[in-house]
Amino acid sequence: EICPEYAGRSPARFSSLLKDVGVVYAHLTLPGATRESLPSIDNSWKGFLGQADTLAGTDVEIDGIPVPAGDERADWVNWIQRLINGIGRGTPPTLSFAHLMAPHVPWLTNPSGTHYDRPEEYTEVFGVQGDGRWGPEPEPPLLAFQRHLYQVGFLDTMLGRMLDHLDETGTWDDTMVIVVADHGASFVPGEHRRWPYEDNRDDLYRVPLFIKYPGQTTGETIDQPVFGIDILPTMVDVLGIDTTLEFDGVSLLEMDEERPHQP
């Protein structure tokens, strides 16, 4: 069964699919004691065999913030700290990347870093009906938006730590930093939380994108519509990479004409 949130996307490579199917089949058929040695299928949608070195219960040290330990800590907190710890290591040029589930359900972090017990299961969002729409009552989506902003507050703290570490390691000036969201969410009573319709499209499509270029000292705001497909050609342009690839998007450094808004 394909999760509706991933329907329509390009399938994984067939060999990887077979490996994942083998892991799932083993979980379904092997005795309980044997299953304990299998890779977890609870932490991602694919690539189960590649999780052993990265997801095997390894908390990282986070100084000065009251985050819980073990299974009580949100996974994304570990991931961004690992990203911070990797800055300044290795031989440049290097690429550091993290796809964080934040801000994202499950909401369970306070701006301080402490975690709270969630009132619902992971697969549920309190106040969302079976069709994925918020109910007509205003209180549940308002509460969800507040919890979302709480998580944003702690994410902002961790991003600040990452930027500080870039500065401390002397790599800030030469580094290109990109922070972007893959999608938004709607918190309007009666509207769908995740799927785009006429009245909630702006909530879902207008996501933050921040780019700091190497050597950049002053900021600039681009009011023209920008898309996720513009990020890669922008990186290629900024880094001076020669390529014969043709991009669907355009470099932000070359946007000299008014770009039409597209629904």
Side-chain angles (χ1 to χ4, degrees):
E1 181 179 358
I2 299 178
C3 171
E5 189 159 341
Y6 287 78
R9 299 187 183 182
S10 299
R13 293 182 178 179
F14 189 64
S15 60
S16 298
L17 175 62
L18 289 179
K19 293 177 183 178
D20 286 340
V21 169
V23 175
V24 174
Y25 182 76
H27 273 280
L28 294 174
T29 58
L30 293 178
T34 306
R35 291 199 303 269
E36 293 180 359
S37 62
L38 294 172
S40 171
I41 59 176
D42 300 329
N43 297 309
S44 67
W45 294 102
K46 61 181 181 178
F48 305 129
L49 291 177
Q51 300 182 78
D53 295 333
T54 56
L55 295 177
T58 53
D59 283 353
V60 293
E61 184 175 353
I62 302 178
D63 296 327
I65 295 181
V67 292
D71 293 339
E72 299 300 318
R73 183 189 297 183
D75 287 339
W76 72 264
V77 180
N78 283 332
W79 281 117
I80 192 169
Q81 186 61 52
R82 290 190 185 102
L83 184 68
I84 295 171
N85 293 345
I87 293 173
R89 299 181 180 181
T91 303
T94 59
L95 171 66
S96 299
F97 171 82
H99 184 184
L100 306 176
M101 296 287 283
H104 198 287
V105 293
W107 302 301
L108 48 78
T109 58
N110 294 308
S112 63
T114 59
H115 291 36
Y116 57 86
D117 292 331
R118 303 179 64 251
E120 67 276 287
E121 297 296 329
Y122 173 76
T123 54
E124 301 173 348
V125 176
F126 175 69
V128 173
Q129 302 174 343
D131 60 355
R133 292 180 178 272
W134 293 104
E137 300 81 8
E139 290 81 8
L142 176 60
L143 174 62
F145 186 52
Q146 291 170 335
R147 294 171 65 190
H148 170 89
L149 293 180
Y150 263 40
Q151 194 181 61
V152 170
F154 183 45
L155 176 61
D156 184 64
T157 295
M158 296 302 291
L159 283 174
R161 285 194 159 206
M162 183 187 73
L163 300 182
D164 288 342
H165 195 58
L166 283 167
D167 192 36
E168 293 165 359
T169 55
T171 55
W172 169 257
D173 290 340
D174 296 329
T175 299
M176 184 175 186
V177 180
I178 301 175
V179 180
V180 63
D182 55 355
H183 63 76
S186 178
F187 298 92
V188 179
E191 296 297 335
H192 202 286
R193 188 181 72 88
R194 271 288 286 113
W195 298 121
Y197 292 92
E198 183 67 28
D199 294 332
N200 71 347
R201 261 196 323 231
D202 284 349
D203 296 336
L204 303 183
Y205 288 168
R206 296 187 180 279
V207 299
L209 170 62
F210 303 96
I211 299 180
K212 197 282 291 185
Y213 301 126
Q216 182 178 356
T217 58
T218 58
E220 178 185 3
T221 300
I222 296 179
D223 292 325
Q224 294 176 246
V226 175
F227 305 115
I229 55 176
D230 298 331
I231 295 176
L232 183 56
T234 300
M235 294 174 62
V236 169
D237 192 8
V238 170
L239 300 178
I241 299 174
D242 292 328
T243 178
T244 58
L245 294 176
E246 295 184 3
F247 300 108
D248 293 325
V250 298
S251 169
L252 301 189
L253 299 182
E254 298 178 356
M255 294 181 60
D256 54 0
E257 296 182 0
E258 184 67 25
R259 195 179 202 179
H261 286 256
Q262 300 177 3

